[in-house]
Amino acid sequence: MRLRLPEERPTEPPTGYKIAHPVLSQDGTRAGFTGVSLGGALPYGVLDEARCVYGRRHRAPHRRCDCGFHCVHDRAGAEAMLCTAEHRAAVLLEVSVLGAYIRFEQGFRYARQRVRTATVQPCACGAVAGALADAGWGRPGWRALAAACAGCVRGRTSLSLASFARVAGEGLRVRAASGVVAAPADLGVSELVAEAALLQARLDWFQSQLARFDEGGTQSR
């Protein structure tokens, strides 16, 4: 006798949370995401169907394989993964679990998904992200993107959060997580004078400290 797993027939698609890296196609006409672990080699769209990463012909999720999309039940669990060094540049996704799925204690493995919301973490400098810019790595035909503020974008390929959502399509919402307010990139004369005065004050302080050390060294001889 073959043991069958219990079946669920929810009235609405379950909600899950996961982290991923935003990506932009080489020609700039498509946007999506790539996973942070097993599925990292297969970028996916906002509305997409899972494929077996091992190239097998079965439909995901297969009970005897670990293929399929993965997510966790609660937002806090996904946010915790953003604390690790290798995942600091990832974004937090809120997804709808579609099609067949296998429920686990902490989350789902499933066939199809719709990414509803992407929350972009602050820029590496700590400022609120205003864009997604070239992260310096990618997959064949895809550039990985990372959060950037206006002052850190510089000359890199980038998209505003609204532009990324528009290119990705399917009603995706992209928002920025809280961070510090970035300083304006272009300073006026008064701001530059204040910055120069601050630097001069610091230089004077360092010179006074060096003088004290020199005096102490002379006396000890």
Side-chain angles (χ1 to χ4, degrees), residues 193-206:
V193 171
E195 287 290 332
L198 179 60
L199 290 173
Q200 185 61 52
R202 290 177 176 174
L203 179 61
D204 292 341
W205 182 85
F206 279 114

Side-chain angles (χ1 to χ4, degrees), residues 8-34:
E8 298 182 20
R9 297 187 182 277
T11 57
E12 295 183 357
T15 296
Y17 301 89
K18 62 194 299 182
I19 62 173
H21 295 288
V23 292
L24 180 68
S25 64
Q26 184 178 0
D27 59 7
T29 61
R30 292 176 295 159
F33 303 93
T34 186

Side-chain angles (χ1 to χ4, degrees), residues 98-187:
L98 305 175
Y101 62 82
I102 300 174
R103 180 188 289 271
F104 295 93
E105 181 180 0
Q106 296 183 352
F108 299 97
R109 181 160 64 90
Y110 50 103
R112 299 178 65 239
Q113 76 176 4
R114 177 187 293 275
V115 181
R116 300 202 304 252
T117 303
T119 302
V120 181
Q121 302 307 300
C123 176
C125 71
V128 176
L132 290 167
D134 191 341
W137 64 276
R139 307 294 184 207
W142 295 88
R143 289 189 180 94
L145 305 177
C149 66
C152 294
V153 169
R154 302 184 187 280
R156 292 181 291 168
T157 299
S158 64
L159 287 174
S160 68
L161 303 189
S163 295
F164 181 87
R166 184 173 61 254
V167 174
E170 299 293 345
L172 175 68
R173 293 176 295 169
V174 182
R175 59 192 182 195
S178 60
V180 299
V181 178
D186 298 322
L187 298 178

